[in-house]
Amino acid sequence: MNTSAHGAGIGHTELYELRETAEKGAARIFAKCEFRNPTGSHKDRVFTFMLDELERAGTIAPGMTLVECSTGNGGAALSRVGRDRGYRVVIVMPAGMTEERRKQIAAFDGTVVETSPEGFLLEGEETARRYVAEHPGSHFLDQSTNELNWRAWRSCGTEIVTALDALGLVPDHFLCSVGTGGTFTGIADVLKAAYPRLRTTAVEVDRSAALYAKRHGLPFAHRTHNLMGLGPGKVPANLREELVDDVELISGDDGWTAMKRLIEKEGLYVGPTAGGNVFAAQRLARRLPPEAVVLTVLFDSAWKYFSVWDGRYAQYATDDAPYETERAD
């Protein structure tokens, strides 16, 4: 079993080159397989690291209640590590997330407090703060603003550098979609230091593209969408904007379509946000020479979405997206 500084089985995931879906004449694409962590997502890396650091600082101790706002992946990861270390875990989650997410959190003894789908993660954060204020002995980890989130991802950036060195490759571009901003920031921070000429792209879902709106001087409005974990309704505090060179948009359907192609062609059983990253990476790769190298991340696992396999669920509306996106060829 793989091991890392953050716990058994966490990290040291494969850096996989897309071959079966590679396009002739386009740049090479390598993807970090974070969906192969213990709970089936990249969030294992975050919450094990956060608990390590908070315990070391004396901020938390076993017996306390840990509270987090999550669309499900982080909830499962925190519930697992929290249970194993003697904490009670409460996950504040918008209604309408997949059945698999709720069941996985419960399987690790986590308690789910649901908020309205319209309020999404912003309402969830308010609910989490209120819960902590009303329950002595509880602590809100707040992955959206806690910089331990992005610091956890420096280990992943270092793993990518090591893997590329072994292959004798220098990357040209790193591309990653944005939820809390931690994954993008931590990896980009390491890669930009290692490869000064590297360019980065933050990817947002078109229905909740706060950074895109900010950079283009456009009004921003959050709309419900079908890429769980992305588009939180704000530019997250853990996204260090100075590390972002470009911002690209994808639609939810882009992510779901690319996900199913990755499953069929590459044998990568990933979720739609991973599909969204690959969709945007392939779009970018068409604009680059074939010797160029593009890096991205595969966040979570396909099994977390079996109950909504058509990509349509209760809180997702299909009215027009607020910004135009470049379509796939």
Side-chain angles (χ1 to χ4, degrees), residues 71-219:
T71 58
N73 282 332
L78 176 58
S79 295
R80 174 182 177 270
V81 68
R83 179 201 63 182
D84 291 350
R85 297 192 186 189
Y87 295 90
R88 179 172 179 257
V89 174
V90 173
I91 303 301
V92 182
M93 190 164 71
M97 301 299 103
T98 65
E99 176 184 351
E100 292 84 1
R101 280 165 150 74
R102 293 193 298 273
K103 286 183 175 178
Q104 190 183 28
I105 291 168
F108 292 127
D109 298 332
T111 299
V112 172
V113 174
E114 282 196 334
T115 55
S116 72
E118 295 79 14
F120 201 49
L121 294 176
L122 295 181
E123 180 184 342
E125 290 166 7
E126 293 173 2
T127 302
R129 292 188 185 95
R130 186 165 60 249
Y131 184 98
V132 168
E134 296 171 355
H135 293 80
S138 60
H139 180 79
F140 180 28
L141 297 178
D142 195 6
Q143 61 174 320
S144 180
T145 65
N146 192 329
E147 71 172 25
L148 292 176
N149 179 348
W150 73 260
R151 292 188 182 280
W153 284 101
R154 290 182 55 82
S155 66
C156 188
T158 300
E159 290 169 21
I160 292 172
V161 171
T162 300
L164 291 173
D165 285 350
L167 294 169
L169 295 174
V170 174
D172 299 275
H173 216 110
F174 170 62
L175 177 149
C176 182
S177 53
V178 173
T180 65
T183 305
F184 178 97
T185 295
I187 295 175
D189 186 49
V190 171
L191 294 183
K192 276 187 169 285
Y195 310 108
R197 298 178 65 183
L198 181 90
R199 285 196 68 82
T200 64
T201 296
V203 178
E204 291 188 296
V205 58
D206 55 10
R207 299 177 61 79
S208 187
L211 182 60
Y212 183 91
K214 179 179 179 180
R215 289 204 171 181
H216 289 81
L218 299 170

Side-chain angles (χ1 to χ4, degrees), residues 258-273:
M259 171 194 79
K260 292 178 181 179
R261 191 159 181 257
L262 288 170
I263 293 170
E264 178 185 358
K265 300 293 186 182
E266 299 281 357
L268 295 171
Y269 288 84
V270 297
T273 52

Side-chain angles (χ1 to χ4, degrees), residues 296-327:
T296 193
V297 182
L298 304 179
F299 292 137
D300 69 1
S301 302
W303 64 262
K304 292 173 179 271
Y305 302 89
F306 286 163
S307 62
V308 288
W309 202 240
D310 63 355
R312 295 289 185 269
Y313 43 88
Q315 86 279 20
Y316 174 58
T318 57
D319 54 321
D320 292 337
Y323 314 118
E324 291 187 7
T325 58
E326 180 183 341
R327 305 307 307 160

